[in-house]
């Protein structure tokens, strides 16, 4: 029987507040399982159906006799990504490379776990046969496929307590036969197993495959940090989570289903979540348990929101397509912005606890990260409320989320309050204002005709009127951050009492108007000094810069022997763009700190 999932109001509100608890995660998990089964049905009915059918029959047979063996496969890291690729952009359909054939590799795991005899043909790519959840057979040469035969003792099929070690798995190709180790978790000649990490603390258990064999996920072989190192790191991270975030640890125990190791970036840790792989965390080697704990919290938030948006609609099309997210160097679509806001609630909870439990430099670092994370979420909420076409549920979702941020703020930043807390808040605000200014110079462009109109009005001494339209360019390819110059400036702010004086920053901008860092410092200084036009310097930096350059290039000729006129002052230009004589529509499009549509403003107003 097929029917809609009903999401109770209290579960929705609990998820919107950031957590949700184990019952909410189990509901999302059941809903995602149903979605995956519907995707399988669509694949069977589509052009790839002939390639999918044999493996689907095997899965159905396993589900009938041993549902506990089939469900982890359907819920697991590889199934959703396989279904999405098969339905969305299978490159071959009926031809030999059809993506539907990869379901056979997933079905092998179900057959082994249920001790069900099976014979399935599995694709071989680059000499490797990948069996998600089990491991990878290497050294198979140029053969395009292999026949995998699962042999089980008589009477073992579906029996309670059946283990993978009771099966014999043979891999047959034109070149010969390979037999996997009787215990597939042990390495063997030409066999790289998927390790299973196990962490237990205070009655909560986390069992996660270190998934390196899923064809659809960009896994790295674990040679750089082997399973033993991952096991030790996960054990320590799990103890930290269970002790300090018990409710979220219960969520993770209920919903996490795998870690996919990624290549390490040049700096820091790379992590991600596929919206099609609920509960799967992709991450490079985190190096310390604190970072792994934070990564698990952050990425599982993404999984929860992806599953939630299968059930409810939070926004509609028609808003701005590319938006500012302070935690990313590139413009984000509306869904990406909401994902980032929600994921940072995990970070907020983590740093809230760390800032209250640590001492010395570690506490100061945690307090900085907490204040920065809170500022990021608040700015993201304002951006979403201003530019995303939220549904009624979307508005309610953001209001509940904003309440969580506000309630956390009441508990303090961990900076000790008083002047220390105020100094920290000012430093974070400077960095965020500078980051937004640099982002706008990189991605936003003002309308040329509108900018020329403003230049003519400035020369004529008339009010600016409404600001011209803007266009945020789309990012293509990998996008780097704002650069080392900004990074050094941002690092200095943590120890600075105040920003560079705005007048001094404005003079530096006039001397080098194409230097993005100068505009970042000016935006930060103007905001800290509460200068007229500070919001424009931050929220329309590209317009002030372009207007300044345009007016400087069009200075009238001066008579011989007289001093040339001074270039237009960017502080005066910004103040003019927000002059009270301008039309009302100008200001509502500019203010970023007091926008009436912000959920933070709304919930604060209602107390």
């Amino acid at each position: 029987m097929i029917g809609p999932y009903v999401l109770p109001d209290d579960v929705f509100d609990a998820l919107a507040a950031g957590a949700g608890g184990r019952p909410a995660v189990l509901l999302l998990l059941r809903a995602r399982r149903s979605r995956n089964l519907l995707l399988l049905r669509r694949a069977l009915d589509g052009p790839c159906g002939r390639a999918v059918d044999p493996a689907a029959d095997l899965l159905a047979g396993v589900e009938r006799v041993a549902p506990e063996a089939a469900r982890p496969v359907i819920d697991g890291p590889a199934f959703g990504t396989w279904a999405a690729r098969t339905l969305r952009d299978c490159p071959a359909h009926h031809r030999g490379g059809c993506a539907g054939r990869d379901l056979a590799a997933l079905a092998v795991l179900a057959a082994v776990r249920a001790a069900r005899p099976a014979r399935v043909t599995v694709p071989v790519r680059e000499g490797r046969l990948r069996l998600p959840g089990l491991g990878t057979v290497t050294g198979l040469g140029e053969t395009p496929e292999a026949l995998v035969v699962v042999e089980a003792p008589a009477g073992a099929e579906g029996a309670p307590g059946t283990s993978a070690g009771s099966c014999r798995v043979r891999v047959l190709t034109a070149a010969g036969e390979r037999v996997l180790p009787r215990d597939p978790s042990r390495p063997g000649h030409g066999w790289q197993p998927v390790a299973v990490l196990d962490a237990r603390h205070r009655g909560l258990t986390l069992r996660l495959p270190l998934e390196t064999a899923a064809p659809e996920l960009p896994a790295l072989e674990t040679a750089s940090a082997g399973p033993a190192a991952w096991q030790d790191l996960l054990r320590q991270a799990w103890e930290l989570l269970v002790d300090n975030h018990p409710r979220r640890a219960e969520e993770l125990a209920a919903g996490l289903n795998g870690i996919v190791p990624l290549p390490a970036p040049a700096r820091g840790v790379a992590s991600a979540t596929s919206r099609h792989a609920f509960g799967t965390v992709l991450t490079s080697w985190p190096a310390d348990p604190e970072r792994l704990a934070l990564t698990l919290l952050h990425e599982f938030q993404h999984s929860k929101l992806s599953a939630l948006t299968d059930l409810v609609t939070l926004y509609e099309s028609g808003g701005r397509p590319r938006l500012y997210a302070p935690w990313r160097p590139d413009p984000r679509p509306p869904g990406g912005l909401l994902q980032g806001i929600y994921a940072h609630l995990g970070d907020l909870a983590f740093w809230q606890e760390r800032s209250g439990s640590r001492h010395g430099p570690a506490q100061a670092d945690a307090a900085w990260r907490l204040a920065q994370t809170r500022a990021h979420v608040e700015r993201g909420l304002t951006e979403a409320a201003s530019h995303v076409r939220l549904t009624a549920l979307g508005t309610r979702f953001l209001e509940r989320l904003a309440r969580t941020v506000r309630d956390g703020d009441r508990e303090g930043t961990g900076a000790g309050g008083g002047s220390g807390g105020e100094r920290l808040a000012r430093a974070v605000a400077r960095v965020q204002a500078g980051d937004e200014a640099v982002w706008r110079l990189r991605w936003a462009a003002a309308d040329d005709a509108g900018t020329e109109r403003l230049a003519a009005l400035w020369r004529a001494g008339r009010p600016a009127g409404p600001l011209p339209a803007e266009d945020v360019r789309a990012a293509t390819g990998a996008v780097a951050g704002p650069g080392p110059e900004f990074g050094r400036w941002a690092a200095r702010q943590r120890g600075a009492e105040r920003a560079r004086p705005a007048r001094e920053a404005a003079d530096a901008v006039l001397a080098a108007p194409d230097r993005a860092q100068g505009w970042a410092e000016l935006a930060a200084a103007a905001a800290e000094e509460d200068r007229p036009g500070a919001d424009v310097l931050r929220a329309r930096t590209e317009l002030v810069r372009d207007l300044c350059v345009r007016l400087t290039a069009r200075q009238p000729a001066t008579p011989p022997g007289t001093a040339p006129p001074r270039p237009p002052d960017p502080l005066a230009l910004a103040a003019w763009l927000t002059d009270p004589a301008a039309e009302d529509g100008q200001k509502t499009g500019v203010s970023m700190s007091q926008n009436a549509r912000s959920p933070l403003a709304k919930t604060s107003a209602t107390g």
Side-chain angles (χ1 to χ4, degrees), residues 509-563:
V509 159
L510 289 174
D514 291 328
R515 180 172 171 261
Q517 186 57 44
W519 289 97
E521 295 186 37
L522 178 58
E528 188 160 276
E529 295 178 15
D530 198 21
R531 290 268 186 157
D535 282 344
V536 174
L537 279 167
R538 172 179 179 163
R540 293 301 302 272
T541 320
E542 80 291 348
L543 176 61
V544 183
R545 193 269 309 273
D546 291 355
L547 188 56
C548 187
V549 170
R550 192 179 297 256
L551 288 168
T552 302
R554 300 280 186 88
Q555 292 281 10
T558 55
T562 61

Side-chain angles (χ1 to χ4, degrees), residues 176-490:
E177 178 185 67
R178 297 276 189 92
V179 179
L180 303 191
R182 180 67 75 171
D183 180 357
S185 66
R186 292 184 173 276
H189 177 67
W191 173 245
Q192 299 171 351
V194 168
V196 177
L197 310 179
D198 192 310
R200 305 167 190 266
H201 188 57
R202 298 195 177 194
L204 274 180
T205 298
L206 191 66
R207 285 180 57 83
L208 300 176
L210 192 61
E211 183 58 82
T212 55
E216 304 291 339
L217 296 172
L220 171 75
E221 292 178 9
T222 56
S224 57
W230 279 98
Q231 171 65 53
D232 186 57
L233 198 67
L234 181 66
R235 178 187 55 78
Q236 297 176 66
W238 189 236
E239 291 177 0
L240 187 158
L241 288 168
V242 172
D243 288 341
N244 301 303
H245 305 277
R247 190 172 187 220
R248 290 180 182 270
E250 290 176 355
E251 289 187 354
L252 297 174
L256 278 184
N257 62 22
I259 292 177
V260 177
L262 297 178
R267 295 180 59 189
V269 175
S271 67
T273 305
S274 167
R275 68 160 280 106
H276 304 293
F278 179 83
T280 302
V281 174
L282 293 77
T283 179
S284 61
W285 174 245
D288 67 77
E290 182 176 88
R291 184 56 199 247
L292 179 56
L294 177 61
T295 298
L296 295 179
L297 288 177
H298 181 98
E299 298 301 339
F300 192 61
Q301 290 290 108
H302 283 307
S303 277
K304 289 194 296 183
L305 186 55
S306 293
L308 178 64
T309 52
D310 288 341
L311 304 176
V312 299
T313 301
L314 299 180
Y315 68 96
E316 300 170 345
S317 59
R320 285 192 186 177
R322 291 178 286 275
L323 304 169
Y324 172 65
W327 50 85
R328 289 282 298 242
D330 52 341
R332 302 299 292 152
L337 177 65
L338 295 181
Q339 278 282 358
I341 294 170
Y342 194 65
H344 277 80
L345 286 189
D347 301 38
L348 202 60
F350 184 85
W351 292 120
Q352 182 77 50
E353 186 280 326
R354 293 277 95 183
S355 66
S357 64
R358 311 189 92 188
H359 303 281
Q363 190 277 336
D365 182 68
W368 170 267
R369 293 178 187 275
L370 173 63
Q372 189 173 54
T373 301
R374 180 176 289 115
H376 283 174
V377 174
E378 290 173 348
R379 180 63 185 89
L381 284 166
T382 302
E383 184 83 346
S386 301
H387 303 307
V388 178
R389 292 189 61 183
L390 297 168
T391 62
L393 276 178
T395 300
R396 176 173 157 186
F397 185 84
L398 288 192
E399 287 175 350
R400 298 297 191 279
L401 200 157
R403 187 180 303 166
T404 297
V405 178
R406 187 187 69 244
D407 290 347
D409 193 33
R410 286 175 178 165
E411 298 177 21
T413 63
S419 60
E422 294 170 3
R423 175 177 170 178
L424 177 63
R426 288 197 306 270
V428 168
R430 286 196 295 271
V431 174
Q432 188 157 300
D435 178 82
E436 189 163 354
V438 171
W439 184 92
R440 293 204 63 84
L441 291 176
R442 184 177 191 181
W443 299 109
D447 174 69
D448 281 343
T451 307
E452 183 56 41
R453 176 187 63 79
L454 286 175
L457 291 171
W458 169 270
R459 295 189 196 100
R462 297 173 56 193
L467 302 189
E470 60 179 297
D471 176 52
V472 175
R473 296 182 292 273
T476 57
V479 177
E485 186 180 18
F486 180 85
R488 289 190 293 269
W489 174 81

